[in-house]
Amino acid sequence: MRVRLTRTVRFTLRPRDLSGSSTDAPRDNTFASWPPPTGLGPWYEIDVHVEGEPDPGTGYLMGIQEIDQLTRAIALPILEEAFREAPHTRPSALLERIGRALENELGELLHSLCWKLTPRQSLAWRRRTKPNSTPEGAKTMTANHGPA
């Protein structure tokens, strides 16, 4: 029985992070956001959809902390580099890089990503369906993700 797990990973690109200094904030409450916001800075959510057969012994597909750590380890450096060195990079190109890097780590477990750029606009990315096929790539979607 295949199951799908969706995890929303939240993070902030802080001005201090964009200047190249390290993030020293504790990682106690990753539900809220890590790195946590301080002052002004972009705040994002990426929905990570994984799909597969759960482990028969535990009943789990994979741990949500693993999804959080892996997504942040991949997405934060890509986005920080873009903000510092190429601020006019198309978000769809950045999501494509994030998706391919996560696909390299998770393989067939990764189903798709949804990067919420604003409360009303998001980008979707879907993993290749066959090993040698072209990825579907990032597509812009306008959606209402909450109250106006």
Side-chain angles (χ1 to χ4, degrees), residues 68-79 97-105:
D68 289 352
Q69 291 169 355
L70 188 56
T71 303
R72 289 184 180 114
I74 288 171
L76 282 168
I78 290 171
L79 297 176
R97 285 181 59 197
I98 293 167
R100 286 183 185 166
L102 279 170
E103 182 180 24
N104 286 338
E105 294 294 323

Side-chain angles (χ1 to χ4, degrees), residues 44-55:
Y44 296 115
E45 293 182 353
I46 295 179
D47 290 340
V48 180
H49 306 277
V50 291
E51 184 177 274
E53 297 290 332
D55 181 292

Side-chain angles (χ1 to χ4, degrees), residues 42-46 79 90-92 94-95 114-124 139-141 145:
W43 186 83
Y44 296 115
E45 293 182 353
I46 295 179
L79 297 176
R90 290 185 347 255
S92 59
L94 296 172
L95 184 59
C114 180
W115 181 13
K116 297 174 184 171
L117 297 167
T118 71
R120 302 220 184 266
Q121 186 175 22
S122 55
L123 288 173
K139 298 177 183 163
T140 304
M141 299 185 311
H145 296 293

Side-chain angles (χ1 to χ4, degrees), residues 58-136:
T58 64
Y60 290 110
L61 180 60
M62 70 182 303
I64 59 173
Q65 288 181 334
E66 183 182 354
I67 296 171
D68 289 352
Q69 291 169 355
L70 188 56
T71 303
R72 289 184 180 114
I74 288 171
L76 282 168
I78 290 171
L79 297 176
E80 288 169 353
E81 176 188 16
F83 269 82
R84 274 194 315 272
E85 299 172 20
H88 299 293
T89 303
R90 290 185 347 255
S92 59
L94 296 172
L95 184 59
E96 188 72 31
R97 285 181 59 197
I98 293 167
R100 286 183 185 166
L102 279 170
E103 182 180 24
N104 286 338
E105 294 294 323
L106 295 173
E108 291 188 10
L109 279 179
L110 181 64
H111 180 269
S112 57
L113 303 172
C114 180
W115 181 13
K116 297 174 184 171
L117 297 167
T118 71
R120 302 220 184 266
Q121 186 175 22
S122 55
L123 288 173
W125 179 90
R126 183 173 269 195
R127 170 183 69 77
R128 304 177 184 119
T129 53
K130 297 177 186 167
N132 295 325
S133 67
T134 339
E136 291 188 30

